[in-house]
């Protein structure tokens, strides 16, 4: 599936009626951790991937895959950790709690070991001695199945080695393996330090919006959150996007920092125009986002097509810009929240 097909499918999926939209494809990888070694728990086999549902009804996750893509130094290629979540006879949904924002986890090496270490039981497991491990310092983790209105079916009908056939991927470290679907750079932090997890800071799929944080694996259905012992939060912060800058004026005894003007099309305020902005715009168009409230935090720069409105037309232009079909140098017409 091409990059533009992935984007269009994601946008169109947001426009169908809510009962039909209930599936699995509006969700993101929320946390990745590869090994625990924090002075309280020491077990390199404990790994997990947490999924967060961006909207309600995204819990029909039976028959999805969890796959890792390796860096060239590790031999390249991919390895499927969970090939058919729930098994071939599983009946949807495979996690019961489908509320917006609900989380669920896939973990190794087994349920009992993960429960003893974290205090919670994972929703799905894989045996990393049998199917493989999450790379610690360089790699990409992908979860899902080809996007569509209907839940996934037989995973043998699609290519596990094609990252664009997954719902979300996160690359990290000096990743140089099979290309990330939208061409975004890898997150600089990695999930393999033993103390912190690689934790998402936004909602955009296929992004590098991750930093290190104390692990908080959360299981479905009770939304119980576990931990691996005491943890001091990291001071790691995300770098300022290179597409924007600030101006600092200093006078005697006074320092004034003036933020840069928002970029036309950057409705979520992360410093770039990409699929994240397109998704926010599409969600606003169907009433799933409120104007001026995060992540739609910069509504003044939403009208990229100059028609005095902010809607799916703007979302499509943002998506086209993200995949290189048109320039991202938009000129916005002024827009104010109703």
């Amino acid at each position: 599936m091409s990059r533009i097909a992935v984007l269009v499918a994601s946008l169109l999926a947001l426009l169908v009626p809510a009962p039909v939209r209930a599936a699995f494809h509006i969700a993101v990888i929320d946390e990745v951790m590869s090994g625990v070694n924090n002075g309280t728990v020491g077990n390199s086999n404990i790994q997990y991937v947490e999924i967060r549902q961006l909207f309600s009804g995204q819990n029909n996750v039976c028959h999805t895959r969890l796959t890792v893509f390796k860096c060239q130094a590790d031999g390249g290629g991919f390895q499927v950790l969970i090939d058919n979540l729930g098994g071939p006879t599983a009946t949807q949904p495979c996690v019961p709690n489908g509320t917006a924002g609900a989380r669920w986890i896939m973990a190794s090496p087994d349920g009992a070991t993960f429960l003893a270490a974290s205090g919670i039981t994972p929703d799905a497991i894989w045996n990393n001695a049998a199917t493989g491990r999450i790379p610690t310092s360089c790699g990409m983790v992908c979860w899902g199945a080809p996007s569509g209105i209907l839940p996934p079916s037989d995973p043998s009908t699609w290519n596990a080695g094609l990252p664009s056939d997954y719902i979300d991927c996160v690359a990290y470290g000096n990743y140089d393996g099979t290309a990330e679907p939208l061409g975004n750079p890898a997150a600089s932090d990695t999930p393999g330090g033993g103390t912190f997890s690689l934790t998402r800071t936004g909602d955009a799929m296929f992004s590098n919006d991750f930093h290190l944080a104390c692990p908080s694996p959360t299981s479905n259905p009770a939304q119980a959150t576990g931990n691996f012992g005491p943890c001091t939060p990291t001071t790691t912060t995300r770098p300022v996007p290179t597409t924007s800058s600030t101006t600092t004026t200093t006078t005697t005894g006074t320092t004034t920092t003036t933020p840069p003007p928002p970029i036309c099309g950057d409705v979520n305020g992360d410093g770039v125009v990409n699929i994240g902005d397109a998704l926010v715009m599409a969600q606003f168009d169907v009433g799933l986002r409120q104007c001026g409230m995060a992540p739609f935090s910069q509504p003044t720069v939403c009208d990229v097509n100059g028609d005095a409105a902010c809607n799916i037309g703007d979302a499509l232009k943002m998506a086209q810009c993200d995949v290189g079909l048109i320039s991202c140098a938009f000129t916005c017409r002024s827009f104010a929240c109703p």
Side-chain angles (χ1 to χ4, degrees):
M1 185 183 296
S2 68
R3 291 167 65 199
I4 189 61
V6 172
L7 298 175
V8 172
S10 297
L11 291 171
L12 292 179
L14 296 174
L15 302 180
V16 298
V20 179
R21 190 172 61 242
F24 72 106
H25 55 277
I26 311 179
V28 292
I29 295 173
D30 212 42
E31 276 190 68
V32 179
M33 191 167 187
S34 181
V36 179
N37 185 16
N38 59 9
T40 301
V41 177
N43 189 335
S44 63
N45 290 319
I46 295 176
Q47 303 181 317
Y48 73 90
V49 176
E50 179 182 273
I51 305 299
R52 173 164 53 95
Q53 300 164 171
L54 297 182
F55 298 104
S56 62
Q58 305 306 303
N59 55 335
N60 293 299
V61 298
C62 301
H63 314 305
T64 55
R65 280 180 169 136
L66 177 66
T67 300
V68 294
F69 291 80
K70 300 178 181 179
C71 293
Q72 297 302 322
D74 294 327
F78 67 95
Q79 192 164 23
V80 177
L81 306 185
I82 297 178
D83 187 53
N84 189 344
L85 194 145
T89 62
T91 301
Q92 303 286 5
C94 266
V95 292
N97 189 336
T99 58
R103 295 167 166 84
W104 58 278
I105 54 173
M106 298 166 279
S108 70
D110 56 71
T113 301
F114 197 86
L115 173 62
S118 68
I120 60 170
T121 300
D123 303 291
I125 60 170
W126 81 91
N127 181 344
N128 51 25
T131 62
R133 307 173 58 83
I134 297 172
T136 57
S137 60
C138 178
M140 181 167 69
V141 176
C142 294
W143 165 80
S147 179
I149 295 175
L150 298 177
S153 53
D154 182 0
S156 68
T157 61
W158 59 278
N159 185 358
L162 190 62
S164 60
D165 271 353
Y166 291 84
I167 292 302
D168 193 21
C169 296
V170 53
Y172 51 86
N174 296 318
Y175 182 67
D176 59 357
T178 306
E180 191 271 345
L182 300 186
N184 291 314
S188 56
D189 293 321
T190 68
T195 302
F196 302 111
S197 68
L198 193 60
T199 301
R200 181 177 289 276
T201 60
D203 291 340
M205 301 170 185
F206 299 104
S207 74
N208 63 348
D209 295 338
F210 284 80
H211 70 163
L212 294 177
C214 291
S216 57
T218 303
S219 62
N220 187 294
Q223 294 300 285
T225 298
N227 64 75
F228 303 104
C231 175
T232 301
T234 176
T235 57
T236 300
T237 58
R238 287 184 52 74
V240 175
T242 57
T243 52
S244 64
S245 60
T246 58
T247 300
T248 301
T249 303
T250 303
T251 59
T252 303
T254 304
T255 299
T256 303
T257 299
T258 303
I263 300 169
C264 181
D266 179 24
V267 296
N268 63 8
D270 65 355
V272 293
V273 181
N274 56 24
I275 187 57
D277 302 291
L279 290 173
V280 169
M281 201 69 268
Q283 292 159 7
F284 171 69
D285 190 49
V286 295
L288 297 176
R289 294 291 184 192
Q290 293 188 34
C291 187
M293 296 185 64
F296 188 19
S297 56
Q298 297 189 154
T300 58
V301 292
C302 64
D303 183 16
V304 298
N305 65 3
D307 65 353
C310 289
N311 51 35
I312 192 63
D314 302 291
L316 289 174
K317 289 185 74 70
M318 294 170 187
Q320 291 167 343
C321 137
D322 189 65
V323 297
L325 293 180
I326 61 175
S327 170
C328 293
F330 298 121
T331 299
C332 280
R333 184 170 177 173
S334 180
F335 178 84
C337 292

